[in-house]
Amino acid sequence: MSYRIPDALIAEENAKLRAAQAEDYAALGRRLERAGVDIEAVTAKVAAFAVAVPTWGVGTGGTRFARFPGVGEPRGIFDKLEDCATIHQLTRATPTCSPHLPWDKVGDYRELAERAVALGVGFDAVNSNTFQDAAGQKLSYKFGSLAHSQKGVRDQAVAHNVECIEIGRKLGSKALTVWIADGSNFPGQSNLNRVLDWYLESMAEIYARLPPDWRVFIEHKLYEPAFYSTVISDWGSNLMAAEALGPKAYCLVDLGHHAPNVNIEQIVARLIRAGRLAGFHFNDSKYGDDDLDTGAIDPFRLFLVFNELVDASIRRAPGFDPAYMLDQSHNVTDPIESLMASAMEAQRAYAQALFVDRDALAAAQDENDVMLAHRILKAGFIADVSPILAETRLRNGGAIDPIAVYRASNYRKIKAKERPAVTGSSSGIV
Ligand code: LRH
Ligand code: MN
């Protein structure tokens, strides 16, 4: 039987922090009461917040230069599921994980689904992969996949996506995420118009195979690995594709897939208005698609994104049902610690956005009282919501301090014994 962190250890560690937590929570409750906010109402909403963990994120990541695997690395999807379950056990905020195929391919998906149930986690959107050539693949994706100039390659890529849907159905997923690397490195290398025609033709075949209750999430990305043009490079191309395909097609926003300083919260507002916001791949970045920990570089930007999400949920925006997922690469930290911290930072931005006094903000905006409007919004961001986040974990059987419990458990050292070291690739993100 592989090691699981005993609930008794969580209780033991919580006991050390319980009194301080109760005091901090009560103090915040009194402060909110003065502002006419019922802390229990906020806590209830935060307790319902969930973000999916990327299965490809629980192993140590790398860059094109190098990858430095740690100890106790997951050897495959069964180990990855265990680690995803540990993240949820301690944070109570990550009940699902998002698989990636063929990286998570197995022979028996019923066995995988049963193991997930036993571990208390589910499967979120399944991710296809036509940005690498899998072992035994007939035609290469070197020059593209769903938008490749050759019909045979496009058909192969469509077949892979249809297979992902079939596998996702066995795992209980309800969505397919399609990110393609297709693009060009030289002006003239590809016809910027025909490549979108081929892409839409291919996606229409995939769309036709979606089960009635499924959605397809189209993920745009400005560049990399293509460095001159990318077929689905921005929210405009993404929305154009989604609207061309049909009502089950939505636009997924990976925070790292935009040029530096792009106003992502406004893109989110526009996609919500169009009723096409699929959801997110949360991460953070300073330059490119750095896939750093959510909230680690620019937590204010994350807050501004959640401000648009809370505004949309309060005004009941039509078709608003976003899927929240993390998508990160952990090159220098323990991936489990990074994913726990990131889930909590997403939860923090959500709780802060719930603090914003939206009636007062709207009034100040209508009056063009710029300073008052900005300070009303900023008041949400500067509020310390930590006691609420800890309280939701405590009440749901999690850890007041997940990283402290994780370290106290020696989980990684124990997994290093259970999981003989894997000789992984020496570079690349996984
Ligand atoms: C592309 C991306 C995509 C995943 C991959 C692992 O950069 O964000 O979502 O398929 O990372
Ligand atoms: Mn992504």
Side-chain angles (χ1 to χ4, degrees):
M1 185 57 186
S2 63
Y3 173 75
R4 309 288 318 137
I5 297 177
D7 289 334
L9 176 66
I10 299 174
E12 191 188 311
E13 293 294 319
N14 282 348
K16 299 174 187 167
L17 303 173
R18 193 179 277 276
Q21 166 56 23
E23 197 179 303
D24 294 348
Y25 187 74
L28 181 57
R30 287 191 295 276
R31 234 188 96 235
L32 288 178
E33 200 175 346
R34 285 202 308 272
V37 177
D38 167 18
I39 192 170
E40 286 305 324
V42 178
T43 300
K45 282 190 176 158
V46 172
F49 177 87
V51 61
V53 168
T55 59
W56 63 94
V58 290
T60 298
T63 70
R64 60 184 166 167
F65 300 105
R67 178 173 168 269
F68 303 96
V71 296
E73 289 281 336
R75 295 160 295 178
I77 185 61
F78 285 94
D79 289 349
K80 292 177 182 179
L81 269 187
E82 272 189 356
D83 293 353
C84 292
T86 296
I87 293 165
H88 186 50
Q89 181 188 17
L90 299 178
T91 66
R92 309 315 287 167
T94 60
T96 60
C97 63
S98 186
H100 215 300
L101 297 166
W103 295 336
D104 296 330
K105 261 193 174 168
V106 293
D108 181 346
Y109 289 99
R110 182 197 311 281
E111 181 194 6
L112 183 58
E114 285 164 6
R115 180 72 178 132
V117 171
L119 286 165
V121 290
F123 289 100
D124 210 298
V126 58
N127 298 265
S128 63
N129 176 345
T130 59
F131 52 85
Q132 294 172 321
D133 289 344
Q137 188 178 300
K138 286 197 184 52
L139 303 169
S140 173
Y141 293 134
K142 177 173 181 176
F143 296 108
S145 61
L146 296 174
H148 195 287
S149 60
Q150 307 300 316
K151 182 81 168 76
V153 179
R154 300 200 298 271
D155 292 345
Q156 177 183 271
V158 168
H160 165 68
N161 279 276
V162 170
E163 183 193 8
C164 289
I165 294 171
E166 295 317 314
I167 292 170
R169 294 179 74 171
K170 293 177 183 151
L171 297 177
S173 297
K174 290 293 183 195
L176 169 71
T177 296
V178 181
W179 170 70
I180 59 167
D182 297 30
S184 67
N185 280 3
F186 291 81
Q189 175 183 342
S190 58
N191 177 296
L192 301 179
N193 223 2
R194 286 200 295 151
V195 290
L196 188 57
D197 293 340
W198 291 325
Y199 172 80
L200 291 174
E201 181 196 295
S202 302
M203 285 295 286
E205 290 177 43
I206 296 167
Y207 187 95
R209 303 292 293 273
L210 288 173
D213 59 349
W214 270 54
R215 300 185 289 174
V216 60
F217 297 163
I218 300 170
E219 184 177 0
H220 59 269
K221 182 174 183 178
L222 183 63
Y223 77 101
E224 189 207 38
F227 294 106
Y228 168 67
S229 72
T230 293
V231 176
I232 304 296
S233 58
D234 57 19
W235 73 279
S237 306
N238 198 335
L239 184 58
M240 196 184 269
E243 292 183 336
L245 289 167
K248 290 193 279 189
Y250 292 78
C251 308
L252 183 102
V253 176
D254 183 312
L255 298 185
H257 288 188
H258 305 84
N261 309 322
V262 160
N263 187 326
I264 297 177
E265 56 270 24
Q266 181 162 283
I267 292 173
V268 170
R270 297 290 175 273
L271 291 173
I272 291 170
R273 184 187 185 82
R276 296 288 180 153
L277 178 67
F280 296 85
H281 278 179
F282 292 121
N283 47 55
D284 214 333
S285 51
K286 192 158 180 61
Y287 306 103
D289 186 22
D290 310 339
D291 282 338
L292 300 174
D293 290 11
T294 299
I297 303 292
D298 189 350
F300 189 49
R301 180 178 72 172
L302 185 67
F303 162 75
L304 293 173
V305 166
F306 273 94
N307 177 54
E308 294 303 325
L309 298 169
V310 168
D311 195 75
S313 64
I314 288 173
R315 70 174 195 272
R316 298 188 186 294
F320 181 69
D321 177 22
Y324 298 149
M325 293 163 278
L326 301 171
D327 178 3
Q328 302 171 181
S329 178
H330 312 105
N331 307 349
V332 293
T333 57
D334 182 314
I336 290 178
E337 293 189 352
S338 273
L339 287 163
M340 293 197 293
S342 300
M344 294 189 281
E345 286 311 305
Q347 208 180 28
R348 178 185 305 284
Y350 174 58
Q352 291 168 328
L354 290 172
F355 270 40
V356 175
D357 182 340
R358 293 185 183 278
D359 296 339
L361 178 60
Q365 288 168 338
D366 294 348
E367 294 305 311
N368 291 303
D369 186 335
V370 177
M371 181 51 68
L372 182 60
H374 176 63
R375 298 193 63 73
I376 290 169
L377 180 65
K378 198 75 175 288
F381 177 66
I382 58 182
D384 181 5
V385 297
S386 306
I388 288 177
L389 306 186
E391 192 69 17
T392 60
R393 292 190 291 271
L394 181 61
R395 292 181 185 180
N396 294 302
I400 291 174
D401 184 340
I403 292 179
V405 173
Y406 174 72
R407 292 187 174 195
S409 76
N410 285 321
Y411 181 92
R412 184 58 72 188
K413 286 196 191 70
I414 294 170
K415 289 300 168 185
K417 293 198 183 68
E418 286 181 9
R419 301 169 179 175
V422 286
T423 49
S425 58
S426 61
S427 67
I429 61 168
V430 291

